[in-house]
Amino acid sequence: MPRIAYFGPQGTFTEQAARRLAPGHELTPAETISAALAAVRKGEADAACVPVENSVEGAVAATLDGLAEEDPLVAVAEELLPVHFTVLVREENAPVRTVASHPHALAQVRHWIERNLPGAQTVAASSTAAAAVAVQRGEYDAAVTAPVAVEHYPLPVLATGVADVPDARTRFLLVQPPGPLPAPTGADRTSIVAAAENRTGALAELLTELAFRGINLTRLDARPIKGNFGLYRFFIDFEGHLTEPRIGDAVAALRRRCNNVRFLGSHPRADGVAPTIAPSAANEDFTGAADWVAAVRRGETA
């Protein structure tokens, strides 16, 4: 049975995402995102499930850095989870003076805590599930957790469906070593990371390659390159699949322009949204133009 490492411990949103992305597979929690990715690189797991971005708190830096460094891993699927929290407490009807959770989780329930637990001190934990473990040990009074945590930690439930932003969502990736790409579906996402030159207009030139081909950008993040102060990597997501002529043409152009490009995957979008294609930027337009050039080279037309 394939083994899937995920950002644990048990009871995190990542476990919920892994269940959806790899139903019936053996799931193994890892203490950190880096550890989950390392398990795949070492051959201890066949794939890893990790969070990549949240609609409230933005990109997950540990995932971006982990994919940009060391041996390549590529995303083959993604999952979008609504982010509604469950608050677990050490004792029913006892005062709550401390509330622990992952920093992203605390940021998404800050107003709820102010309204319902006035005066409670918030404490950062390595994950939502780690906060539940700490509550079990008596270190804190309450933990903000994923709903699945109640299956693993027998703690009283203070509240469910907690969220300052009702439609908040987190996107998760299933990543594995490079191999055959998932088949295109017509509603796909391609991701790359590029290290551009540190000069005026370098980023604009990268984005122009996408714009010229009518390709819609879905995410852009910058992360510093460790050991090179002032130099950055750009993480770029855009609509389409690498097997499409227009996408392949754009990625090839980015590779020509950049010092370093790493392909991070082409896979179906979890939301099923089809690409927005500009006039004259359909795949048929690219193949038709390439066929015309080939015919001219053969002397068959002009």
Side-chain angles (χ1 to χ4, degrees):
M1 180 181 296
R3 298 159 297 169
I4 310 298
Y6 69 89
F7 174 37
Q10 289 181 313
T12 60
F13 282 101
T14 313
E15 180 188 359
Q16 291 185 226
R19 290 181 179 185
R20 295 191 185 187
L21 287 166
H25 290 36
E26 178 185 348
L27 303 183
T28 304
E31 185 175 349
T32 64
I33 290 172
S34 296
L37 298 177
V40 181
R41 291 181 170 121
K42 294 176 182 177
E44 298 169 355
D46 299 290
C49 181
V50 291
V52 66
E53 65 173 327
N54 174 267
S55 61
V56 176
E57 289 299 295
V60 180
T63 296
L64 299 187
D65 291 343
L67 293 176
E69 299 164 359
E70 301 187 35
D71 295 336
L73 296 173
V74 295
V76 295
E78 67 177 32
E79 181 64 45
L80 276 174
L81 281 186
V83 181
H84 297 159
F85 298 92
T86 295
V87 180
L88 304 180
V89 293
R90 183 160 48 93
E91 297 180 32
E92 283 189 281
N93 302 319
V96 176
R97 299 183 179 87
T98 52
V99 182
S101 194
H102 188 276
H104 277 202
L106 291 173
Q108 294 178 73
V109 298
R110 180 175 62 252
H111 298 308
W112 185 92
I113 292 174
E114 291 172 353
R115 290 193 305 269
N116 296 276
L117 302 172
Q121 177 188 0
T122 57
V123 183
S126 60
S127 70
T128 56
V133 172
V135 170
Q136 278 189 315
R137 292 197 297 253
E139 297 175 19
Y140 308 114
D141 298 320
V144 177
T145 71
V148 72
V150 299
E151 299 179 18
H152 303 292
Y153 309 104
L155 293 166
V157 176
L158 176 66
T160 59
V162 175
D164 290 345
V165 181
D167 61 348
R169 296 185 294 174
T170 295
R171 184 162 68 99
F172 298 84
L173 299 178
L174 186 68
V175 300
Q176 62 186 40
L181 299 180
T185 65
D188 304 290
R189 190 191 317 272
T190 292
S191 304
I192 66 163
V193 55
E197 294 181 17
N198 185 15
R199 58 176 176 78
T200 302
L203 177 58
E205 290 175 3
L206 300 186
L207 300 182
T208 297
E209 295 291 358
L210 300 177
F212 277 163
R213 293 163 177 82
I215 297 170
N216 188 40
L217 195 72
T218 61
R219 185 175 64 91
L220 173 65
D221 288 293
R223 292 286 301 158
I225 299 175
K226 296 176 183 177
N228 290 277
F229 184 76
L231 298 181
Y232 290 82
R233 295 187 183 98
F234 297 100
F235 293 82
I236 306 173
D237 289 359
F238 45 90
E239 294 177 342
H241 194 282
L242 187 65
T243 58
E244 298 179 53
R246 65 195 187 96
I247 303 300
D249 194 56
V251 172
L254 293 174
R255 180 65 181 83
R256 289 195 303 271
R257 283 192 179 274
C258 294
N259 295 333
N260 187 292
V261 173
R262 175 173 285 194
F263 174 69
L264 298 181
S266 282
H267 54 78
R269 291 181 58 161
D271 55 15
V273 174
T276 301
I277 300 177
S280 75
N283 288 312
E284 294 78 11
D285 296 314
F286 279 86
T287 55
D291 291 344
W292 177 81
V293 170
V296 171
R297 288 171 174 168
R298 294 191 301 268
E300 297 174 1
T301 186

